[in-house]
Amino acid sequence: MKMLSKRWLLLTATLVLAAAAAVVGSQALAGSKDAPGAAKGLGPLSGLLPRDHLTTESAIQVDLSKETVRLPLYKGKANGQTVWYVLLDASDAGLAHDLGVNYAPKLANIGINDPEAVQTVTLESPTPTENPFGQAVVDFHGAPDFSPTRIAEPGPNGFPLAKFQPGAVAGPGYSPFIRIAGSDVVYNAPIVATGDGPFDVVHHTNTGDRVLGIHIAPPSPPGQYLESYVDILFVKGFDAGQPIVYISTDAGQPLSAVLERSTYVPALDQAAYNGGDDFLGSARERLFGFINGQSGADNKEAQGFVHLVKDGHASEDASAGNTALIDALRNGGDLLNVFGDFPTEADPRHALAYSPLWDAQLGQWTDKAIKEGLDKRQIDEVQVFNLAATRPDLITGPGGAPYGAAGVDINCAVIGFIDKAPTANLADPVPNSQFPPR
């Protein structure tokens, strides 16, 4: 974990200095006595998400009370070891629909200038006796190592972290994005557990840091198919003004992997391409995060890195038994990032621009914004862009740099929306705020 790129070390140092200088001004606001203020605007906080709210239709259930999504779990092999993976996105519309996953046509570009960002896998060909009904085993070239201990030691102001280390690291040849030999279709198929069990869903020595439960189905009776599944801690955010849920499985940088409780996959760092979004050849979509947003469980304006560390139990292991962590996240203690395009948007240009590989635009509120109480929670992509374009006195990139891509990419597949479907942005773009014109 010490062999980090010079660019990422520079970015980390910039974030540390920038956040340390600005975070002291963030103040919590008083909230409702009935529910934490941070939960305001997040929709229902308990019960099962209705199935017509899912974009990942194969999801078995989304439990808002437990902060988990239950997904089908598929068996694979990597270097002779059993691995378990989930399917989240596909670059082909027909196959995405057939599998009940998100259609993400941009994934077809992911290997441009970065062939290691997508691994070619093989599919076994079982005989009728070996497999009368069910999946064929996928043979991966690499797998994550889940044995490292995740470290997220808070700094004096929460974030920047005083010490950090990813709890899962890609092994040689591993990427969550796969292409089956003989096919051009790219799938998002992150490995979330290794081995044949038992599975550690408390300290995550053989599971992803968001895996809270695993059920491996017994042999299926004749004429039936019994399904294995995994419960994964989801993340809350916003798109086009609406609260959404997604899962974070991988990141191209160590710090983002720690904050996202995901697998550090260096091969993703150069995936096509930083700052690209809707430009030719890009596999990424924009995501908006905030370094020094407000914090406080009773604060309806809370959002961002400082809030996650101070109020979201970021330093602790996530487990079903850690109810304090679950409740904190359920009540708004997440990063609450703002997404760009989303599969339910009414304009096909925005719906089809969705990608699970997000290119982070990190915002830092200025001292002026903090002092004047203008560092408020953001919930819409266009509003953020308009703010960055017209008020550089209020929000900048890390350390006062121009606002834009920060060299951070994460694999976050959307699962669904909590209340109402995101259909259109809340504002029209101001001139010269983004390209192509919206």
Side-chain angles (χ1 to χ4, degrees):
M1 294 315 306
K2 295 182 180 180
M3 298 181 64
L4 308 181
S5 70
K6 292 182 179 179
R7 178 174 65 80
W8 181 247
L9 286 172
L10 178 60
L11 175 60
T12 301
T14 301
L15 289 175
V16 168
L17 293 174
V23 70
V24 293
S26 290
Q27 300 294 327
L29 304 179
S32 167
K33 294 181 180 180
D34 298 325
K40 299 293 184 178
L42 293 178
L45 302 178
S46 60
L48 298 181
L49 198 65
R51 293 209 60 82
D52 62 3
H53 285 34
L54 301 179
T55 61
T56 305
E57 295 177 352
S58 60
I60 299 167
Q61 67 177 34
V62 174
D63 192 328
L64 298 175
S65 303
K66 298 179 180 178
E67 287 285 288
T68 57
V69 55
R70 178 168 292 176
L71 294 169
L73 188 63
Y74 302 100
K75 187 176 182 179
K77 294 179 182 178
N79 302 315
Q81 180 186 36
T82 300
V83 298
W84 302 91
Y85 67 96
V86 293
L87 280 173
L88 302 169
D89 307 270
S91 64
D92 178 86
L95 293 175
H97 180 73
D98 186 43
L99 293 167
V101 300
N102 300 304
Y103 175 41
K106 280 183 177 178
L107 288 184
N109 295 329
I110 196 168
I112 295 174
N113 295 331
D114 186 16
E116 294 181 355
V118 55
Q119 64 165 311
T120 299
V121 302
T122 56
L123 196 64
E124 295 185 1
S125 299
T127 65
T129 302
E130 294 170 327
N131 186 34
F133 180 50
Q135 69 166 91
V137 173
V138 172
D139 290 313
F140 293 83
H141 286 290
D145 177 7
F146 295 118
S147 66
T149 299
R150 177 181 174 272
I151 298 173
E153 182 180 322
N157 295 302
F159 185 86
L161 298 176
K163 183 180 180 181
F164 63 89
Q165 173 180 280
V169 181
Y174 177 73
S175 169
F177 299 104
I178 66 171
R179 181 185 292 115
I180 300 172
S183 171
D184 292 330
V185 178
V186 175
Y187 301 90
N188 185 10
I191 292 174
V192 297
T194 55
D196 297 303
F199 296 101
D200 179 3
V201 294
V202 176
H203 300 298
H204 308 290
T205 55
N206 59 357
T207 63
D209 288 325
R210 289 185 172 273
V211 173
L212 305 192
I214 289 181
H215 168 76
I216 304 301
S220 299
Q224 299 182 39
Y225 178 70
L226 302 183
E227 190 170 47
S228 299
Y229 59 79
V230 57
D231 291 327
I232 296 178
L233 183 72
F234 61 65
V235 193
K236 289 179 177 176
F238 295 98
D239 186 274
Q242 298 297 329
I244 62 170
V245 296
Y246 62 98
I247 61 172
S248 184
T249 55
D250 311 273
Q253 308 77 30
L255 178 58
S256 48
V258 170
L259 293 173
E260 296 281 346
R261 300 183 184 272
S262 60
T263 299
Y264 170 40
V265 185
L268 297 184
D269 188 48
Q270 299 299 321
Y273 51 88
N274 187 62
D277 190 51
D278 294 329
F279 291 81
L280 178 66
S282 174
R284 304 190 191 191
E285 178 53 42
R286 290 175 291 224
L287 173 147
F288 305 83
F290 300 87
I291 298 170
N292 61 333
Q294 296 185 33
S295 62
D298 290 323
N299 184 359
K300 66 180 181 180
E301 305 296 347
Q303 183 177 44
F305 294 5
V306 174
H307 173 54
L308 176 72
V309 177
K310 282 188 171 183
D311 307 317
H313 296 245
S315 65
E316 302 172 15
D317 285 332
S319 68
N322 189 345
T323 55
L325 180 151
I326 299 297
D327 287 342
L329 297 178
R330 186 170 63 89
N331 288 297
D334 251 322
L335 284 167
L336 304 180
N337 291 324
V338 178
F339 277 35
D341 295 320
F342 197 80
T344 63
E345 295 220 24
D347 185 341
R349 181 171 176 273
H350 296 294
L352 299 180
Y354 159 77
S355 171
L357 188 63
W358 299 93
D359 188 60
Q361 327 274 298
L362 299 182
Q364 178 181 314
W365 295 106
T366 64
D367 289 340
K368 177 180 179 179
I370 294 169
K371 291 176 182 178
E372 297 183 7
L374 300 176
D375 54 337
K376 297 182 180 297
R377 178 185 292 177
Q378 301 298 306
I379 61 174
D380 179 78
E381 172 191 31
V382 173
Q383 290 183 339
V384 176
F385 265 131
N386 290 353
L387 182 65
T390 62
R391 298 300 305 269
D393 59 323
L394 300 182
I395 192 168
T396 69
Y403 191 86
V408 173
D409 65 326
I410 47 179
N411 179 19
C412 296
V414 298
I415 300 298
F417 53 91
I418 299 176
D419 194 10
K420 297 179 180 178
T423 56
N425 292 112
L426 303 183
D428 293 325
V430 300
N432 303 317
S433 62
Q434 41 183 314
F435 182 88
R438 297 299 179 114

